[in-house]
Amino acid sequence: MVVGAARTADVRAAVRFAVDNGLPVGVQAAGHGCSAPAEGGVLITTGRMSGVVVDPRRRTVTVEAGVRFEQVIPAAAQHGLAPLGGSAPHVGVVGYVLGGGVGLLVRTYGYAADRVCSLEVVTADGSLLRVTPDTEPDLYWALLGGRDNFGIVTRLEMGLVPVERLYGGGLFFDARATPDLLSAYIRWTRDLPEEMNSSVALIPFPEDPEVPGVLRGRHVYHLRVAYTGNAREATRLLEPLRAMAGPPLIEALHDMPYTQSASIHDEPSVAVPFVREVALFREFDQDTIDTVLEHAGPQSPLPIVVEVRHLGGALATPPRHPNAVGHRDATYLLSVVVLLFGVTEDDTRRVFGKLFDALRPWSIGTSLNFMGHGRNAGGMRLRAAYTPADLERLAALKAAHDPSNLFRLNYNIPPAVGRE
């Protein structure tokens, strides 16, 4: 059964129905992807719950469960504020924040989860509970990083940041003409201020008339930049990388209002089928780079999109109120994606398996914000998102708040055995 919830009362009724009929529950807002099949269960869609209220005095925004960042950004911008959203504004706020929130300005301001003030949660018995770090510190800790394992968040209040503009955009380089660009990028990131947020993606552009001619049919490096300082300082910081990389195919860097920040990554707003794997690293040395390019570079049998995001900076700062978001010591995030156009999920398994087996000596874990679906959403991959101690604590709290594992159509954390 699929329940299109329009209000909190609908979510509570759906949960109670599931309990009465012995059915598992899943929740989905923006349709960015279900982590597990919902066959034989109840899927609650919250996209109709679209309320947004900005409090400019407190610099906060309160959102209902179905709100997307594309609704929050213009509302906050009216007051010179911005949410810590991701690179794609069509993503749902609640799921993104509960997974940590590795955003566009992550080095400058840290995880979005660290700015959550309060949450309203429908629990496993259909009750509605208001959760704050003072009233329910354990559940607050578990929800922020443990996602929907402990209940369905119907409303969330979080802090905004005083950002009105960025210097950002992208530079495109021919990968064959600049084969060492990924190495140059890693060297460049080792001495940057927190105001500089960036990533680089290796993209196999198809022979498609909608692709700009200079990119069509090429493997291209796309450098993405979001700098919160001024344009002159950004130009100075970028100069060493330009000197190493040479002339770009396309240059699209400029001062922009934050409301245009989606243009930096320019990700598709329509649903596309894909398979993704992700890994986090403290260091990204030449051996790691060579391994990535060997298995996922231009010679790969699959059209693989590789992205390396620079983390660190404010991410390493402990939050005011602790939460379960893990691996704060990560400095780089590697995301590997294959769009399933003319490619099956099974086609990706052998290539991805070889790549991530080879990367195991350097990887320290994974991130829920970038985790895949189906087979790529559970087991060892999920456990890799947490430290052993945090995972043990999450399992104990799961046993306390959802001992029957009602909320299991997700990145599931089973309840600890023998605890209620």
Side-chain angles (χ1 to χ4, degrees), residues 120 266 344:
E120 289 187 3
D266 196 24
T344 69

Side-chain angles (χ1 to χ4, degrees), residues 376-388:
N376 295 341
M380 290 298 294
R381 290 180 177 87
L382 176 63
R383 290 192 286 275
Y386 307 101
T387 65

Side-chain angles (χ1 to χ4, degrees), residues 288-362:
T288 312
I289 293 168
D290 291 343
T291 300
V292 170
L293 295 179
E294 176 187 352
H295 294 280
Q299 78 288 348
S300 171
L302 298 177
I304 297 178
V305 178
V306 176
E307 184 187 32
V308 178
R309 295 197 183 203
H310 186 205
L311 304 181
L315 276 185
T317 302
R320 178 183 176 190
H321 302 293
N323 58 48
V325 179
H327 304 304
R328 290 176 178 270
D329 56 343
T331 309
Y332 298 96
L333 182 148
L334 171 72
S335 173
V336 182
V337 176
V338 174
L339 302 183
L340 300 180
F341 297 124
V343 178
T344 69
E345 188 171 344
D346 286 340
D347 292 335
T348 68
R349 300 217 172 274
R350 185 176 179 183
V351 174
F352 278 24
K354 286 184 176 180
L355 170 60
F356 284 89
D357 283 348
L359 290 172
R360 191 168 291 121
W362 303 289

Side-chain angles (χ1 to χ4, degrees), residues 159-192:
L160 301 168
V161 295
V163 173
E164 297 184 64
R165 50 146 301 278
L166 299 170
Y167 181 83
L171 297 171
F172 294 84
F173 300 90
D174 187 312
R176 297 192 184 277
T178 55
D180 297 327
L181 191 139
L182 183 53
S183 299
Y185 171 76
I186 297 298
R187 292 196 300 273
W188 176 69
T189 60
R190 286 175 180 156
D191 188 26
L192 289 174

